[in-house]
Amino acid sequence: MVRYRVRGGNALRGTAFIQGAKNAVLPMIGAALLAPKGRTVLRNVPIIEDVRRAVELAEAVGAYVELHESERTLVIDASRVDSPVLPARIARRFRGSVLFTPALLHRLGEAIVEGVGGCNLGSRNLDFHYLGYKRLGAIVDEEETVIHVKASGLTGATLYLDTPSHTGTENLIMAAALANGTTVIENAALEPEVLDVIDMLTKMGARISGGGTGFITVEGVDELHAVEHTVMPDRLDAGVFAMAAAITGGELSLVGTGLDLGVVRYKLEQMGVEFARQGAVLHVRSEGKLRPINIITDTYPGFATDLQSPMMTVAALADGTSYIHERIFDGRFALAGELNKMKANVEVDGSRAVVRGRTPLTGTQVTAHDLRSGIALVLAGLAAEGETVIDSGYLIDRGHAHLAARMRALGADITREISER
Ligand SMILES: CC(=O)N[C@H]1[C@@H](OP(=O)(O)OP(=O)(O)OC[C@H]2O[C@@H](n3ccc(=O)[nH]c3=O)[C@H](O)[C@@H]2O)O[C@H](CO)[C@@H](O)[C@@H]1O
Ligand SMILES: C=C(OP(=O)(O)O)C(=O)O
């Protein structure tokens, strides 16, 4: 059992090193399994629990994987992939497991998905993935919890996503990359992580055009080869550090090449946080006095749902009433009850929340219901009076690497503890 203990009151100052993106590296590990020869090298890999699970899953299907933690490098040899089963004991622990399906389909002609995990955020359907595979010629058997996808070769088709699903787009691109003929994916996701995955697949020999336009065309090729690729910076990790500076009246230099916070930066600027780009470094500074804000989550380039939770903490510390409308997930507000235990004033009505600030937050024992509510509670702890203890730290470790050490280096009083329970 991992828990985080935070004592609030310290302003965060110094240089924050932003990790590689969780939501880019997971599909890249899935993509590496598409290469039947040679070894793939991934650089700037975040050392997070989801990556450890992805390594276990790649090994479970037969690949040989080395995770060099201090070098933040993964070496993946997928010349042997011999099991179509994504076993429940690993696959149910993270969402990224769904991204292994295309490689198993291409390499073995079938994938048996014993479950898919990830944050508990309400309904998280996979129908676009499976309908897409069917349109490409696969047979999909959906039993109770096990999904069996079979195909003796896929054929290009026109696919349409009802909403631009992030992993759905990545999976269908990977399925189409080795299909026979041309695939068009309409209403494809625009997230920068999806574009980074397209970059890697293109280096591997895939023929993909239209990334970032919503209409992606994939010309199938016969084989993909192993490459070296550097994972893009994690804009969610960066957003959290910017928010940590914002709520503690701190000043941080965010290091992570080419980092663009987009709408998150503009919203924080509206709240009174100052940003300055200094070449490759993004400088963030705050006096600690924040104005309220309105947030509507959306797919990229809208406000990322994954940063909605930490932003709720920031709103609780702003002077005045903020309004949040969550449009992507129907179960993303479990955080409100936990923040209220810390004396915040958050009222939830369906997909909308009203956050009345600023109430001085008080440390207490709180529960992370998912990765982002966990990190939002860490932020609350940094600004609260007294001590905040957050269980389960595993959820935070799913997406943030060496969080306590990185925050302590900036002056935070935070420890990561492991107990028997
Ligand atoms: C590993 C990874 O990259 N995870 C990210 C990815 O999750 P994920 O790829 O699971 O998110 P999606 O974009 O697929 O889901 C968004 C919404 O679309 C719905 N939907 C999705 C697919 C489908 O087949 N049918 C369907 O109805 C979902 O129920 C959800 O309400 O994007 C989310 C939205 O930006 C992020 O919060 C996650 O951090
Ligand atoms: C929802 C998230 O992750 P996953 O899709 O991996 O559950 C997240 O990163 O906030």
Side-chain angles (χ1 to χ4, degrees):
M1 175 78 158
V2 176
R3 67 166 57 106
Y4 281 88
R5 190 178 297 274
V6 189
R7 288 164 214 90
N10 297 356
L12 265 57
R13 296 186 197 285
T15 301
F17 293 91
I18 303 309
Q19 68 185 36
K22 157 183 165 285
N23 289 349
V25 74
L26 298 175
M28 286 171 187
I29 297 170
L33 302 185
L34 292 164
K37 289 194 238 100
R39 293 198 274 175
T40 296
V41 176
L42 294 175
R43 300 276 198 182
N44 198 29
V45 171
I47 307 303
I48 54 177
E49 290 302 327
D50 271 20
V51 164
R52 294 185 208 281
R53 296 298 84 71
V55 168
E56 289 165 11
L57 201 57
E59 289 170 342
V61 297
Y64 175 74
V65 187
E66 292 169 10
L67 174 57
H68 297 278
E69 294 204 4
S70 44
E71 291 79 12
R72 288 178 288 137
T73 299
L74 263 175
V75 181
I76 303 170
D77 182 339
S79 44
R80 189 188 70 180
V81 168
D82 55 10
S83 167
V85 182
L86 297 174
R89 71 178 194 298
I90 311 170
R92 288 217 184 115
R93 298 191 73 190
F94 74 122
R95 185 73 176 169
S97 49
V98 74
L99 295 158
F100 283 54
T101 320
L104 297 181
L105 265 185
H106 284 304
R107 299 289 302 278
L108 304 172
E110 64 174 335
I112 299 168
V113 188
E114 290 189 347
V116 174
C119 289
N120 181 8
L121 306 170
S123 44
R124 298 192 70 175
N125 303 326
L126 292 168
D127 48 324
F128 310 157
H129 303 234
Y130 297 126
L131 286 171
Y133 297 150
K134 282 185 196 166
R135 296 268 301 171
L136 295 170
I139 296 166
V140 182
D141 283 337
E142 297 184 53
E143 290 160 32
E144 283 272 290
T145 48
V146 177
I147 293 171
H148 197 162
V149 191
K150 280 176 273 185
S152 54
L154 298 173
T155 306
T158 298
L159 313 177
Y160 173 78
L161 305 182
D162 287 345
T163 58
S165 160
H166 187 141
T167 51
T169 301
E170 290 160 343
N171 261 349
L172 295 177
I173 291 173
M174 287 193 275
L178 290 165
N180 197 3
T182 304
T183 297
V184 176
I185 306 170
E186 297 189 9
N187 204 22
L190 308 178
E191 269 70 15
E193 294 77 10
V194 176
L195 304 191
D196 201 21
V197 175
I198 291 176
D199 272 359
M200 176 178 165
L201 287 166
T202 304
K203 280 193 225 165
M204 292 175 73
R207 294 181 57 202
I208 305 164
S209 58
T213 66
F215 295 85
I216 290 179
T217 302
V218 185
E219 308 278 353
V221 295
D222 291 337
E223 192 169 284
L224 296 174
H225 51 266
V227 293
E228 175 165 332
H229 189 81
T230 300
V231 180
M232 67 173 283
D234 195 313
R235 58 200 170 95
L236 309 171
D237 190 59
V240 164
F241 276 88
M243 291 180 199
I247 57 172
T248 61
E251 186 162 1
L252 293 179
S253 294
L254 307 184
V255 171
T257 35
L259 213 52
D260 181 5
L261 288 188
V263 64
V264 175
R265 170 178 174 167
Y266 311 136
K267 288 288 172 183
L268 287 171
E269 281 175 340
Q270 277 178 41
M271 298 181 90
V273 182
E274 293 167 29
F275 285 84
R277 173 149 290 287
Q278 300 168 340
V281 172
L282 185 62
H283 192 77
V284 195
R285 186 179 162 277
S286 159
E287 298 288 346
K289 204 170 155 37
L290 300 170
R291 292 186 283 274
I293 197 71
N294 296 340
I295 299 290
I296 301 177
T297 63
D298 206 345
T299 50
Y300 191 85
F303 193 96
T305 172
D306 292 354
L307 283 176
Q308 182 265 104
S309 306
M311 200 62 166
M312 182 180 273
T313 297
V314 182
L317 293 159
D319 292 308
T321 302
S322 297
Y323 298 88
I324 298 176
H325 185 184
E326 170 59 52
R327 298 177 63 239
I328 307 295
F329 291 113
D330 48 27
R332 242 306 182 219
F333 281 149
L335 171 66
E338 303 302 320
L339 280 179
N340 288 345
K341 285 185 196 162
M342 298 178 71
K343 305 266 166 45
N345 182 346
V346 185
E347 214 176 285
V348 173
D349 181 8
S351 63
R352 291 166 199 269
V354 180
V355 188
R356 295 190 177 83
R358 127 178 229 143
T359 47
L361 298 184
T362 310
T364 186
Q365 170 90 36
V366 284
T367 304
H369 293 275
D370 55 77
L371 157 54
R372 306 301 166 186
S373 68
I375 194 68
L377 291 167
V378 169
L379 289 183
L382 292 176
E385 204 170 283
E387 188 173 272
T388 304
V389 178
I390 305 141
D391 280 329
S392 150
Y394 176 83
L395 292 172
I396 298 170
D397 296 345
R398 277 195 52 213
H400 292 280
H402 308 121
L403 181 76
R406 281 192 297 154
M407 287 195 161
R408 264 201 310 274
L410 304 172
D413 186 347
I414 174 170
T415 47
R416 178 179 178 278
E417 301 171 353
I418 302 177
S419 72
E420 288 305 310
R421 194 171 60 83

